[in-house]
Amino acid sequence: MTTNVVVATYHGVVLGCDSLSSIVERAFFPFRTSDALARDASGNLMFDAQGRLLLAYDESKLQPTPTNIMGGVQKMFILHEDPDSNNVECSVAATTSGLGTLNSIVIAEIAERFRRRCRTNPEGYASITDIVIGFLEFVRPQWESEVGYNDVDPAARQTLDDLQFLIAGYGREDEYIKVMRVSVSANSITELFDAPPHCSAAWAGQADSIASLINGTNPTTRWAVNREFMSSLQAQRESVVDSVLTQLRDQGVVIPEPFEATIQEVVPAELPWLDGSPFFDWANLPVQSAVDLVSTLVNAESAVQKFAMGIPTVGGRTRIGLMRRGMPFAFLNEPEIIHQHVGYNHDA
């Protein structure tokens, strides 16, 4: 799993991500619930032909489970930048989430290969859109090979593992730094913050804690509450109908059998989830404040993973990148690769 964050302001765009990479499989843990054993319609335990107890399998009980964790993974990279640092007319950088490799090649290396291809364009790039479209066209065939796309039933392709990118940048004709979300499996490119002032925050990967901090709630909570809300409405409707019919019969009213009625529920299009969220003046955030905020958001997701039960799938070093118009993309406080374990000689 991965955490990616991007914050766009008038003064620049800040990208952030963690540096852990994990291999996650869906696993079935039957004995974590009380209904693990299969039973027939009469409630009796069920056995196979060898007399072994059968388990009650339910696909909804499959849980994402990490099987391998690696640190120091590069999830942020430059897709293209003009070579003249004193006259940067085009700069595009990205963070990635989802699949960590394609055909045994890490995503950072795939991005670097695309970057080398971009250098051969003598005309440069008028818009980030040109680069993002080209990048998706470059990655998509490799993704299809990785997931065996052509061998998968079309109806099941929506279940294939996705590879996503949050991409920020500008070309020489772009009026502002654009932020785009790319889904390789959906073959889609979506510009975020396309309405003025073109400033806000977005995230990808595992980000429930980030969503809670920014929006006051997260998708998991919303799904659970919405499900319970609709279930309660249905139960209330049935209870009201039964109560009204009972009272009518008690008062001697003859109810035709079978009785049919259509009762409509007035359900709000959206519950007021955002009413408890803090107010952020995204557009006017100073660069340092934006850097601090992105770092805080990524670290919050990492902290929850560290202290919650289970194996952390988000964490490691928090990496931050800063993009400002006309300036080279900057990786902030990136450590150098060093060699410290020089042996056991003390006379060197």
Side-chain angles (χ1 to χ4, degrees), residues 49-131:
Q50 284 74 41
R52 295 172 297 192
L53 282 169
L54 296 177
L55 297 177
Y57 171 76
D58 184 346
E59 188 176 359
S60 65
K61 295 179 182 178
L62 288 176
Q63 299 182 12
T65 304
T67 57
N68 192 21
I69 307 294
M70 296 160 284
V73 177
Q74 184 180 354
K75 302 179 183 178
M76 184 184 305
F77 32 76
I78 298 173
L79 295 181
H80 177 69
E81 188 164 81
D82 291 337
D84 185 357
S85 61
N86 296 317
N87 184 29
V88 180
E89 292 185 327
C90 180
S91 179
V92 181
T95 60
T96 183
S97 61
L99 290 171
T101 62
L102 293 180
N103 308 305
S104 302
I105 303 173
V106 297
I107 305 302
E109 172 59 24
I110 291 174
E112 179 59 29
R113 294 180 183 184
F114 175 78
R115 184 182 181 185
R116 291 196 293 267
R117 194 179 76 165
C118 288
R119 293 173 186 159
T120 63
N121 179 12
E123 302 298 326
Y125 294 92
S127 173
I128 176 182
T129 304
D130 300 330
I131 295 177

Side-chain angles (χ1 to χ4, degrees), residues 330-342:
F331 293 95
L332 304 184
N333 295 329
E334 279 294 291
E336 295 290 336
I337 297 177
I338 59 175
H339 171 48
Q340 291 180 314
H341 306 289
V342 296

Side-chain angles (χ1 to χ4, degrees), residues 97-254:
S97 61
L99 290 171
T101 62
L102 293 180
N103 308 305
S104 302
I105 303 173
V106 297
I107 305 302
E109 172 59 24
I110 291 174
E112 179 59 29
R113 294 180 183 184
F114 175 78
R115 184 182 181 185
R116 291 196 293 267
R117 194 179 76 165
C118 288
R119 293 173 186 159
T120 63
N121 179 12
E123 302 298 326
Y125 294 92
S127 173
I128 176 182
T129 304
D130 300 330
I131 295 177
V132 174
I133 291 175
F135 182 59
L136 179 55
E137 292 174 348
F138 182 79
V139 173
R140 174 74 185 198
Q142 301 177 65
W143 173 83
E144 290 185 0
S145 175
E146 168 70 25
V147 300
Y149 182 82
N150 293 328
D151 298 327
V152 176
D153 188 296
R157 287 174 178 171
Q158 60 182 347
T159 65
L160 294 173
D161 291 332
D162 196 7
L163 173 59
Q164 295 188 11
F165 299 92
L166 286 178
I167 302 178
Y170 58 88
R172 61 176 180 270
E173 296 180 5
D174 287 324
E175 296 181 359
Y176 55 89
I177 299 177
K178 296 182 178 181
V179 178
M180 297 185 175
R181 186 187 303 275
V182 174
S183 168
V184 179
S185 68
N187 205 26
S188 66
I189 299 171
T190 304
E191 182 181 346
L192 308 175
F193 327 141
D194 55 339
H198 311 295
C199 299
S200 190
W203 45 86
Q206 189 165 331
D208 274 0
S209 299
I210 295 169
S212 295
L213 289 172
I214 299 298
N215 294 331
T217 185
N218 62 63
T220 302
T221 301
R222 292 189 186 189
W223 179 82
V225 171
N226 282 331
R227 183 183 62 176
E228 188 64 27
F229 178 71
M230 296 306 297
S231 176
S232 297
L233 281 180
Q234 181 180 355
Q236 183 186 43
R237 180 184 69 239
E238 295 172 353
S239 175
V240 169
V241 171
D242 290 342
S243 176
V244 170
L245 291 176
T246 299
Q247 293 181 57
L248 289 175
R249 291 189 180 101
D250 290 345
Q251 297 176 39
V253 177
V254 178

